[in-house]
Amino acid sequence: MTTDSIVALAVLAVAAVVLVLDRFQPVLVLAGAVGALLFGGVIESDTALSGLSSPAPATIAALYVIAGAATATGTFASIVDRLLDRGGSLFALTATTAGLSSVVPNTPLVAMFAPRVVRWSQRNGASASRYLLPLSFASILGGVVTLIGTSTNLVVSDLLEQSGAEPLEVLEITVVGLPVAVIGVLVLSTLGARLLPERSTGSRDLTRRAREFQMAARVDPDGPLAGSSIAESGLRSLDGVFLAMIERSTASGRVISLPASPDTMLEAGDVCCFVGDAGDVIDLHDVDGLVSVERKHLLDAEGPGTLVYEAVVAPGSRLVGASLRSADFRSRYGGAVIAIHRSDAPLGGQLGRIALRGGDVLLVLGDERFGQQWRSDADFSLVAAHDGPSLPRRQRSWLVVAAFVGLVLAAATGLVPLFEAAAAAAVVVVAGGALTMREAWRAINLDVVLTMAVAISLGGAIAASGLAADIASVVERVSSLGLGDVGIVVAVMLATLVLTELLTNTAAAALMMPVALSVGVDVGAPPQMLAVAVLIGASCSFLSPVGYQTNLMVFGLGGYRFGDFARVGAPLTVSTLVTAALIIPSAFG
C-alpha cells in the first residue's frame, strides 16, 4: 500500500466509526473525510469538488420537487385508503407501493403513505405495525426497479460515469430490479406476514384537547359509505375526530337530527358533524366517501400558495349574529371556512347555517392576501396562519401525473438526459400551479442532496488515492473459489450490504463503487455488472432501522423493536441476494 492509500484507509476508518456512533449527521462526516484527504494532499481540489459538479444531486432535487407536488395535490394519497378498505390486503399495499416507488423517491412516498396507514388502522381496529414495516420494505424494493427510484441509484450511476464507463440508463436496472421487487413483495405478503409483530402505537385521548373544531361533511352518493352503518364505515373510530351527530333531509324538506350510534345507517346526502382538533379536522377531507358541505367554496379557494388560517371573530364584528351563508363570507372575505370552534357550547348542523358569536374561531382556507388584508381588521380579533396540514389541490393532480409520465418516457427513450427531463418536469409542476416556488424549495431534502454530493466526491477520492485497487485485490480472491462472476457479484453485494447496515446506503455505495470497479478491471468483469451489484446491496437494507431512512420513519410510528427488522428482513435479504446473484451475471456479465 502506498502512503496515500494508508492515509485514505485511516480517514475512512475514523469516518466509519463516527458514522456508527451516530454523533453527527452523515453529510458532515463524509464532508469531513473529503476535506481531510484534500488538505492531507491525497486528492486534488477537482476530485474533492466532483460531487458538486455532478448532475446527480440536482436530479434528485428535481425529483423531490415533483414528489412535493404529488403531496400538495394529494395525487397518490387516497390510494392507501382504497387499497386497505378492500379487505386490508397486505399484498395490494406492498405491490402498489413498490410500483409507485419505482418512479417516486421512496422517502417522500413513505412520508405521504405512513400517516394514512396509521389512521386507517386506528379507524378499523387493526395494528399499524402489521402494515408500516412492509410499506417501508416495499418502497425500498421498488426503488431498484428504475434508476430514478432512489438517490443511491443516481450516486452509483454517477460514479460509474466518472470511471470512464457509460452511466446506467433509466430502465437498464429493471431486468434485475423488477424480479427482485416482485419476489420480495411475494415474500413480504406471505412469509413476512407471518413474522410481522403486533405492536401498540398508542393513540391520543380526545378528552385532553384544548380546542375542538366542528366540520360538516356530506356522504357522497357515489362513495363507499352510502348504505353502510356507522360501525361499518369506521367513522366512529377516526383518530382524533369524534362523529357527533347526523343530519338528514326528509322528502318534505325538513332536516332531522340522528344520533351517531353504531347501527345508524348512512344514506346518500346525509350530513355528518365531526368534532376534533384543527389538524385532524383538515384530514377529514381525505376520507373516501365524504365531501365537504362547503365543497364549492373550497374548490374556488384551493390553489398554489393556499394557507389555512385561524380567524377569531371579534365581539363587535359584522359577523356576530350572522351565518356564513347570510354574511356571504366567501365573497366578502376571500376565504372558505372549513371548520368552527366555540369554547363554551357545542355546535350542531351545517357550518353555513350556524349563527356566529364573538370569540368563535374559524378555520379559513385562503391565500396570503387573506392574512394581509384582514389581520388588522375590526371584524377579527386575531388572524394567524395555522401551523398544520393544508388541503390538497386535487385539481392539479393530472399535472403531476403528466409530469411523472413525461419524465420517465423522455429519459427512458433517450430523448433527453435524465437531469434535463427531471428539471423540465419540476418546472412544469411549479409553473402549472401544483405548488409555489417556496413550497418547491421546502420540498427538497437538502440533507439528502448534499450527502449525495459529498458521497460522490468521497468515491472519487477513494479511487484516486489507490485504496480502491488495494482493497480490490482482497475481494478478487473470491474468484479463485471457482464461482466466477456469481462469486464476485455475491462478494460485492455482501460487502455493500454490511456497510449499508453499519453506515448509510449512500455512504456504502460511495465506499464500495471504486472497490468494485477496481475488481472489475483486474478480473475483466464488465463495470455495469459490479455497479448493479453495489446498487442492489446498498439499496436493499432490511436488517435494521438505521440502514435506510424509510425504516427510521416507520420505526417509531409502528412501535417496533430493533429485532423486528431482522426477523422480517432476513428472508427478504436472502431472496434479494439469491435473485440478484442469479440474474446480474447473465444480464450484465
Side-chain angles (χ1 to χ4, degrees):
M1 294 181 67
T2 64
T3 302
D4 286 349
S5 297
I6 295 173
V7 172
L9 180 60
V11 170
L12 288 181
V14 172
V17 171
V18 176
L19 284 171
V20 171
L21 293 176
D22 198 23
R23 297 290 180 85
F24 301 96
Q25 291 290 331
V27 62
L28 298 178
V29 178
L30 298 181
V34 173
L37 294 175
L38 173 64
F39 295 116
V42 177
I43 59 174
E44 300 295 331
S45 58
D46 57 343
T47 302
L49 297 175
S50 59
L52 295 177
S53 61
S54 166
T59 301
I60 198 64
L63 292 175
Y64 270 117
V65 171
I66 306 171
T71 301
T73 57
T75 302
F76 307 117
S78 61
I79 292 178
V80 174
D81 294 334
R82 293 176 182 176
L83 289 174
L84 294 178
D85 282 338
R86 297 174 181 174
S89 171
L90 184 61
F91 173 78
L93 176 64
T94 52
T96 304
T97 302
L100 288 175
S101 184
S102 65
V103 293
V104 182
N106 45 26
T107 300
L109 185 68
V110 172
M112 192 190 318
F113 279 8
R116 303 188 73 88
V117 170
V118 173
R119 286 198 294 270
W120 180 90
S121 300
Q122 291 171 335
R123 189 169 70 243
N124 291 273
S127 174
S129 62
R130 303 284 297 175
Y131 297 96
L132 289 174
L133 194 58
L135 175 71
S136 174
F137 286 175
S139 73
I140 294 173
L141 289 167
V144 299
V145 175
T146 68
L147 188 66
I148 60 176
T150 179
S151 59
T152 306
N153 300 352
L154 297 174
V155 171
V156 169
S157 180
D158 192 273
L159 290 174
L160 181 63
E161 185 177 14
Q162 285 188 18
S163 71
E166 289 294 322
L168 295 172
E169 301 292 338
V170 173
L171 300 180
E172 190 171 355
I173 64 175
T174 306
V175 65
V176 180
L178 185 59
V180 166
V182 170
I183 294 175
V185 166
L186 292 175
V187 171
L188 264 179
S189 56
T190 54
L191 179 59
R194 299 180 181 181
L195 299 174
L196 283 169
E198 287 200 13
R199 305 293 186 202
S200 174
T201 59
S203 60
R204 290 171 292 176
D205 184 355
L206 288 176
T207 63
R208 298 180 181 177
R209 299 194 180 281
R211 293 188 304 167
E212 292 183 337
F213 285 81
Q214 175 175 309
M215 191 198 87
R218 182 173 283 112
V219 176
D220 188 352
D222 299 322
L225 301 182
S228 62
S229 68
I230 290 179
E232 294 170 341
S233 68
L235 295 182
R236 284 174 58 91
S237 305
L238 293 172
D239 181 36
V241 179
F242 174 69
L243 178 58
M245 60 180 292
I246 306 291
E247 285 191 343
R248 179 173 299 164
S249 298
T250 64
S252 62
R254 191 167 60 93
V255 176
I256 60 174
S257 297
L258 301 174
S261 57
D263 56 351
T264 298
M265 301 299 295
L266 295 173
E267 296 182 2
D270 282 353
V271 175
C272 303
C273 300
F274 294 94
V275 176
D277 74 3
D280 293 312
V281 165
I282 292 174
D283 287 340
L284 280 173
H285 290 82
D286 290 331
V287 175
D288 193 21
L290 290 180
V291 291
S292 174
V293 173
E294 312 298 327
R295 182 179 185 180
K296 178 181 181 300
H297 291 162
L298 292 180
L299 291 176
D300 293 338
E302 289 176 10
T306 299
L307 299 173
V308 176
Y309 292 91
E310 293 187 19
V312 181
V313 178
S317 170
R318 291 172 290 179
L319 293 171
V320 174
S323 67
L324 296 174
R325 188 169 299 169
S326 64
D328 198 10
F329 190 95
R330 176 74 181 95
S331 300
R332 176 179 293 180
Y333 297 99
V337 176
I338 58 179
I340 301 176
H341 161 72
R342 181 171 294 168
S343 60
D344 59 351
L347 296 171
Q350 300 181 22
L351 301 184
R353 299 203 303 259
I354 295 174
L356 298 175
R357 298 180 185 176
D360 284 351
V361 183
L362 313 180
L363 215 57
V364 183
L365 186 69
D367 57 20
E368 293 183 356
R369 290 175 297 178
F370 178 86
Q372 296 169 356
Q373 182 174 357
W374 303 108
R375 186 165 283 124
S376 302
D377 191 85
D379 281 344
F380 302 103
S381 302
L382 174 70
V383 175
H386 171 66
D387 185 18
S390 185
L391 291 178
R393 304 160 198 143
R394 300 192 185 281
Q395 70 273 25
R396 296 290 189 273
S397 294
W398 67 270
L399 183 65
V400 178
V401 174
F404 271 120
V405 172
L407 161 62
V408 174
L409 291 179
T413 58
L415 184 63
V416 293
L418 176 58
F419 165 67
E420 295 179 14
V427 170
V428 166
V429 296
V430 174
L435 74 172
T436 64
M437 282 297 298
R438 180 182 299 179
E439 291 169 332
W441 178 255
R442 290 176 180 174
I444 299 174
N445 190 329
L446 285 179
D447 184 65
V448 172
V449 174
L450 294 177
T451 300
M452 286 182 64
V454 295
I456 292 170
S457 297
L458 185 58
I462 295 172
S465 68
L467 177 61
D470 293 331
I471 299 177
S473 63
V474 178
V475 181
E476 289 168 29
R477 297 175 185 173
V478 177
S479 61
S480 64
L481 300 176
L483 298 178
D485 286 351
V486 174
I488 296 175
V489 166
V490 170
V492 169
M493 284 195 298
L494 285 175
T496 309
L497 179 64
V498 171
L499 287 176
T500 299
E501 299 299 345
L502 292 176
L503 310 176
T504 66
N505 53 340
T506 305
L511 294 176
M512 280 303 301
M513 268 299 290
V515 175
L517 294 175
S518 295
V519 171
V521 171
D522 292 341
V523 302
Q528 281 82 3
M529 181 182 78
L530 298 177
V532 174
V534 171
L535 184 151
I536 297 294
S539 296
C540 296
S541 173
F542 307 115
L543 298 177
S544 78
V546 299
Y548 212 93
Q549 192 171 7
T550 59
N551 289 348
L552 283 174
M553 291 170 64
V554 303
F555 184 51
L557 276 177
Y560 295 110
R561 298 172 185 169
F562 201 91
D564 293 336
F565 286 81
R567 181 169 62 176
V568 181
L572 200 55
T573 300
V574 172
S575 71
T576 299
L577 291 175
V578 171
T579 304
L582 293 176
I583 297 177
I584 290 176
S586 60
F588 297 94

